[in-house]
Amino acid sequence: MISKCPYCQGALKFNAKQSAKIQQALKGLKPGKTLNIPCKHCKKTIPVDSSGKAVGVAEQDAAKKEKASVHEKSAGTASKATPPNPPDLGWLKSGSISDEEKVRDVPMALVLNTDGEAMEKIKGAMESLGYRTLTAESAEDAIEQTRVVSFACIVYHTGFEPGGLDQSVFHQFMREMVMRQRRYIFYIILGPEFHSLYDMEALAYSANLVVGEQDLDYFDIILHKAIPNYEALFGPFLEELDG
């Protein structure tokens, strides 16, 4: 498991819960894909493979050092300058891609619900769409997970915290999340007060989708309709931002 940032050499320390969540996310990685882990020191994103090792970083640093070395030598002895070595293409095998593409290629979902039976229905529906699901014991735990794992979808039940949405710590966190991260998360709010697939309600609560609890038995059907529609509408926009 990675313990030091390959960019700034700062120590990466994780508590037991963070380590467990990271290990679970790494187990779900597809071959050739990576998981993003942020460095709290230099704020850079570290791509990590399924073995917990940073990938694509050492190769890039080595190429930069090689280029700098050749440049210095050529500046001092122009008449004896030699061409640089061919570039190291080891990063191609690592599958290094942009942060946003990784979010889509590793579809992780966070499900926040206190009802065990409802939880199983939600997880089953998410997994039918190819998502791997994680859960949290509290709002604080959920917030911490979003800082470690790049979730493509989050399902929040209004009864997860006392006081409903008005007093929800996690919902407020989602509303205040920086847009460069928020735009890649499909945020679903579930509760008895909502009307399923009602876009105006979703907009009013800063969500991508609202689902009425009375329609939970049809949650998989709702997802199969809502998520593809969302991707068809906003997919080109997100791709343009990536470019």
Side-chain angles (χ1 to χ4, degrees), residues 78-150:
S79 62
K80 299 180 180 180
T82 57
N85 293 327
D88 184 352
L89 299 182
W91 59 271
L92 287 174
K93 295 181 180 180
S94 73
S96 296
I97 54 178
S98 68
D99 293 347
E100 294 78 15
E101 286 172 328
K102 291 173 187 174
V103 171
R104 291 194 290 273
D105 286 343
V106 185
M108 300 292 292
L110 178 63
V111 181
L112 306 176
N113 198 321
T114 57
D115 186 310
E117 184 177 350
M119 175 80 77
E120 291 306 313
K121 290 182 180 180
I122 295 170
K123 290 172 64 176
M126 299 304 300
E127 290 169 2
S128 72
L129 280 175
Y131 289 89
R132 286 182 59 85
T133 58
L134 296 178
T135 61
E137 298 177 357
S138 65
E140 292 73 18
D141 183 22
I143 291 172
E144 188 63 30
Q145 288 195 52
T146 63
R147 292 171 176 161
V148 177
V149 181
S150 297

Side-chain angles (χ1 to χ4, degrees), residues 19-75:
S19 296
K21 298 301 180 182
I22 292 174
Q23 291 293 347
Q24 187 171 356
L26 291 177
K27 290 180 181 179
L29 288 179
K30 296 179 181 178
K33 301 303 179 182
T34 55
L35 176 70
N36 292 332
I37 295 181
C39 175
K40 66 179 181 179
H41 304 290
C42 66
K43 309 303 181 183
K44 291 185 177 182
T45 298
I46 308 166
V48 177
D49 62 17
S50 59
S51 67
K53 296 181 179 179
V55 296
V57 177
E59 293 87 346
Q60 294 171 12
D61 289 345
K64 290 180 181 178
K65 291 179 180 179
E66 178 67 24
K67 184 176 180 180
S69 176
V70 171
H71 178 72
E72 291 174 359
K73 291 179 180 179
S74 62

Side-chain angles (χ1 to χ4, degrees), residues 195-239:
H195 301 84
S196 298
L197 295 168
Y198 188 15
D199 292 337
M200 292 303 295
E201 263 186 345
L203 180 63
Y205 287 95
S206 303
N208 298 101
L209 172 69
V210 291
V211 178
E213 193 171 51
Q214 66 276 8
D215 297 321
L216 186 58
D217 288 340
Y218 309 102
F219 193 64
D220 56 340
I221 299 175
I222 292 173
L223 290 182
H224 276 81
K225 176 178 177 60
I227 292 181
N229 286 350
Y230 172 80
E231 292 178 344
L233 180 62
F234 291 101
F237 171 70
L238 296 178
E239 290 179 1

